Amino acid sequence: MNSTSTITATSPIARNQDSEPTLQLNNVTLQYPDGENGHITALEEVNLQAAAGTVTSLVGPSGSGKSSLLAVAATLVKPTHGEVLVDGVDITTLRDAERTALRRDKIGIIFQQPNLLPSLTAVEQLLIAEHLRGNKPRKAKPRAMEMLDVVGLAGSESRRPHQLSGGQRQRVNIARALMGDPSVLLVDEPTAALDHERSGSIVRLLCQITRDFGVATIMVTHDTEFVPLTDAVATMRDGALSESRLIAA
Ligand code: ADP
Ligand code: MG
């Protein structure tokens, strides 16, 4: 079995607060049922820590378990065994309602496809997400405008998805994930649908946001070129973390 030491990318923010890692996976194993009595082991004894204000790149071949790791960290899938701690709370022990609340309050999720509603403007995409959280649009609007500014979309708030480029749509997606002021940002192949130049600017934006907002970010990427922009890299192979290392500044 593969066992790796655990790395933690620490940022000045994390060090100042002398805090524990924002996100910790301890000996996480995830098996999906397969056939009558069989199973597929998507994650095997995975240990990973991520500190506030740092980006960890998650790399590895297709099928190695990267998306499964994000799904577990996002509280969308419960691991077969192991602990998942967000701000010190083990989410695997929570009841459904508590887990949903924790996901809403602490976790931002950004997938490859922005998944925007075609008929809504950029700012409305953020407001509808807040509405689903129980927040009134009028109250949420100032923050929505601010988050669109943060991602470089000031002036484009009234555009609908078809009036935005692929990179701009991904920026709306990022702004939406920031609305709830998450502790953890989970990002799955954010640049898969983008050209090279736009991919670089999206990764740089994610790194900037991570530092400015002090979130712990895990970013799955197949684009190893952008890994040096991040703070640490974790490599997955056959469901296990085969290598974890910090990236020299
Ligand atoms: P990656 O994101 O690195 O491509 P995944 O986490 O998607 O890898 O998949 C890891 C393994 O788990 C693969 O063998 C995949 O087929 C399997 N898997 C992923 N999701 C499911 C699921 N919902 N049900 C059954 N098997 C799954
Ligand atoms: Mg995947």
Side-chain angles (χ1 to χ4, degrees):
M1 191 185 295
N2 249 319
S3 71
T4 52
S5 58
T6 305
I7 52 139
T8 310
T10 50
S11 74
I13 297 167
R15 273 196 296 271
N16 289 344
Q17 293 175 344
D18 195 24
S19 58
E20 61 188 0
T22 303
L23 173 69
Q24 292 189 66
L25 275 66
N26 296 329
N27 301 317
V28 167
T29 293
L30 173 66
Q31 295 176 332
Y32 293 111
D34 183 38
E36 276 288 289
N37 299 308
H39 57 254
I40 293 171
T41 301
L43 298 173
E44 188 170 10
E45 299 292 329
V46 168
N47 290 293
L48 185 74
Q49 303 191 345
T54 67
V55 181
T56 300
S57 296
L58 188 60
V59 303
S62 177
S64 59
K66 305 180 299 295
S67 294
S68 296
L69 191 156
L70 289 197
V72 165
T75 79
L76 294 169
V77 175
K78 195 173 171 162
T80 311
H81 71 77
E83 291 179 338
V84 181
L85 282 80
V86 176
D87 284 337
V89 175
D90 183 1
I91 60 181
T92 65
T93 64
L94 299 179
R95 284 191 299 244
D96 285 354
E98 296 169 321
R99 209 164 50 240
T100 303
L102 182 136
R103 188 185 315 137
R104 185 192 61 209
D105 296 340
K106 300 216 178 240
I107 295 174
I109 302 174
I110 299 167
F111 290 143
Q112 178 178 332
Q113 294 298 336
N115 200 12
L116 304 177
L117 294 163
S119 63
L120 298 186
T121 66
V123 71
E124 287 167 351
Q125 310 282 347
L126 275 54
L127 296 179
I128 190 126
E130 284 308 287
H131 175 71
L132 297 175
R133 285 198 165 98
N135 295 329
K136 294 221 158 53
R138 198 152 45 87
K139 223 178 121 217
K141 193 163 181 191
R143 182 168 175 91
M145 299 297 277
E146 191 189 335
M147 291 308 109
L148 288 171
D149 187 15
V150 162
V151 300
L153 287 179
S156 300
E157 296 91 349
S158 301
R159 296 200 182 176
R160 295 175 210 283
H162 73 274
Q163 299 167 310
L164 297 167
S165 70
Q168 289 174 322
R169 286 196 288 270
Q170 190 58 288
R171 285 167 192 266
V172 175
N173 199 17
I174 294 167
R176 185 172 53 186
L178 293 173
M179 281 299 285
D181 194 18
S183 301
V184 175
L185 214 45
L186 301 167
V187 194
D188 202 349
E189 307 238 16
T191 63
L194 303 179
D195 65 29
H196 182 261
E197 194 182 318
R198 290 207 170 103
S199 296
S201 64
I202 289 290
V203 173
R204 273 186 284 275
L205 174 65
L206 285 166
C207 293
Q208 187 67 46
I209 283 168
T210 295
R211 275 150 212 152
D212 291 350
F213 287 70
V215 294
T217 299
I218 309 280
M219 180 180 71
V220 172
T221 180
H222 61 274
D223 233 329
T224 48
E225 185 190 339
F226 300 123
V227 168
L229 299 175
T230 66
D231 302 289
V233 57
T235 306
M236 295 211 70
R237 217 164 286 282
D238 297 332
L241 274 184
S242 62
E243 191 202 348
S244 299
R245 62 179 173 84
L246 298 176
I247 292 163

